[in-house]
Amino acid sequence: MEILNPETQLKPIKPSLGIDFPEMVANLMHNLPGLAYRCLYDEQWTMIFLSQGCAEVIGYNSEELLDNNNFSFESLIHTEDREYVRKCVDEAVSRRTKFQMEYRITDKDGNLRWVWEQGNAIYDAHNEARYLDGYIADITSRKNVEEEIKQAAKNLAELNATKDKLFSLIAHDLQNPVYAIITLSDFIVNNKNSFNEQEIGTFLNQISLSAKGIFDLLENLLDWGRIQTGNIVVQQEYVSLPKLINFVVGQFKPSYQEKNIQIQFAQNEEIMVESDSRLLGTILRNLLSNAIKYSHPNSSVKIQIVRDNCQIILSVSDKGMGIGRRDMARLFSINNEIHRLGTLRESGSGLGLVLVKEFADKIGASLQVSSKINRGSTFSVILPDAMAVALDIES
């Protein structure tokens, strides 16, 4: 095995004949994917050399920055980052080490760009830093990807938190109706010979209401799941509001009859909107469900359609428990922590109102809420001009 002479290793390699070193350096600088520079170690980072990558990185030609002809390089650094850049360079100079940092600049078009910079100071005979030599690269694309990853991680964390919240809601809302069905049906089976036909009918009606509550919850959960996975597609069509309202009201007949609640809705005029009937129906279903749930027995729920300058305002009003001020701002959030039983101890998680907000946003509608404790609430869905058809259909 040959042993190399250390002295031989330290000798510089002689250039081959015919190589033009100034030309080679110029070509290397031209092909750099970033910006090489030398500047004075002063307050403005006065540039005395800039490679041709200057225009590619910051949008300016070198002539515009050399000797601060038009402006200084320091003025391109984002105002929030200037102190940080100065501190990084000064600390490296004092320790006689390289500096390395990432910061923002404003390019010629006024856009913010992220750059990565590395360099070191050149000292004079008096050991004072006179120049800074360095290299700057545009890392905006990388920063954008990092930001997207951060946002995705944040969204994932929120989704996991929402998932945990959802499991809690499922356990809370399913427990009461399932327990009611099990206990009541067992009671009927064990004492079937002790009841008359009217009593059995009453028990079956209670089981039916509990089963419907479970069905409504599962339907809301499926809709919520579709929203989270992006599988909700808005399908525009002409929708008759009176027909849609009457259909939804019919679905709740056992519920409001059980509490002897009158549903007040009288609409002789046909009113049409261009919207998604399924999403609009889900909004109305959840608003009416809450109105019945939180209304006192022997009261009323009023549904109105009002035309207002080519807008359609659909409102559901009750005279029930009402909502406190502190809860109003949290009504449409899945993290609202609002768990209120209805006037007959019907379970309520607030998931329905979360769907109302999500679906209203999907169809381009807005929501308004007014409420007073023990005096009732009014939820209004406002359909914008572009959706309001308001056609009079001849019978």
Side-chain angles (χ1 to χ4, degrees), residues 22 52 56 58 84 86 148 157-158 223 225 282 303 359 384:
Q52 291 177 322
E56 183 178 334
I58 60 178
Y84 159 74
R86 176 66 62 180
E148 290 175 3
E158 291 177 352
D223 285 336
T282 301
I303 303 174
F359 282 3

Side-chain angles (χ1 to χ4, degrees), residues 28 52 220 272 274 332:
L28 288 174
Q52 291 177 322
N220 281 341
M272 306 284 290
E274 187 176 8
F332 302 107

Side-chain angles (χ1 to χ4, degrees), residues 359-375:
F359 282 3
D361 290 342
K362 280 284 185 182
I363 65 175
S366 58
L367 300 172
Q368 287 184 353
V369 186
S370 62
S371 184
K372 291 185 178 181
I373 293 292
N374 295 324
R375 296 183 62 181

